[in-house]
Amino acid sequence: MWVIAGLATFISAWLRFGRDGLGFVAASAPPALWAFAYGWAGLIGDYSRGLWIFAWYMTSHCGVIWCASRVPPESGSPDLLGRVVEGRPG
């Protein structure tokens, strides 16, 4: 799973913004799987800290990947930063 998710993420990195969604889903799959495994272990009582780790993975790992998927690439360019933030054309 890790190799397939990594390959899908790598291939999607070369696609245009908006068409790279599969890469972000693939990047989120391994940490989401771990999160749900920890959450389940916490719910059934096998691992008392599982729910906290579930919350950690979903916010720090999956949440950061989700936020990164929403940022257009040109928003990080120093020469366009003001115009992109204000919505002005280049």
Side-chain angles (χ1 to χ4, degrees), residues 68-84:
S69 73
R70 302 292 176 234
V71 179
E74 66 272 3
S75 66
S77 301
D79 57 332
L80 296 176
L81 187 58
R83 285 177 269 174
V84 171

Side-chain angles (χ1 to χ4, degrees), residues 7-33:
L7 285 172
T9 303
F10 180 77
I11 291 168
S12 295
W14 304 107
L15 299 175
R16 290 178 168 240
F17 179 73
R19 295 182 180 247
D20 56 354
L22 179 64
F24 289 105
V25 171
S28 297
L33 180 65

Side-chain angles (χ1 to χ4, degrees), residues 2-83:
W2 288 93
V3 173
I4 293 169
L7 285 172
T9 303
F10 180 77
I11 291 168
S12 295
W14 304 107
L15 299 175
R16 290 178 168 240
F17 179 73
R19 295 182 180 247
D20 56 354
L22 179 64
F24 289 105
V25 171
S28 297
L33 180 65
W34 279 103
F36 285 110
Y38 278 117
W40 180 252
L43 283 174
I44 64 173
D46 285 349
Y47 189 59
S48 61
R49 293 182 284 178
L51 294 176
W52 290 107
I53 297 174
F54 168 81
W56 168 253
Y57 269 87
M58 292 308 286
T59 55
S60 69
H61 294 69
C62 297
V64 169
I65 292 169
W66 180 81
C67 288
S69 73
R70 302 292 176 234
V71 179
E74 66 272 3
S75 66
S77 301
D79 57 332
L80 296 176
L81 187 58
R83 285 177 269 174

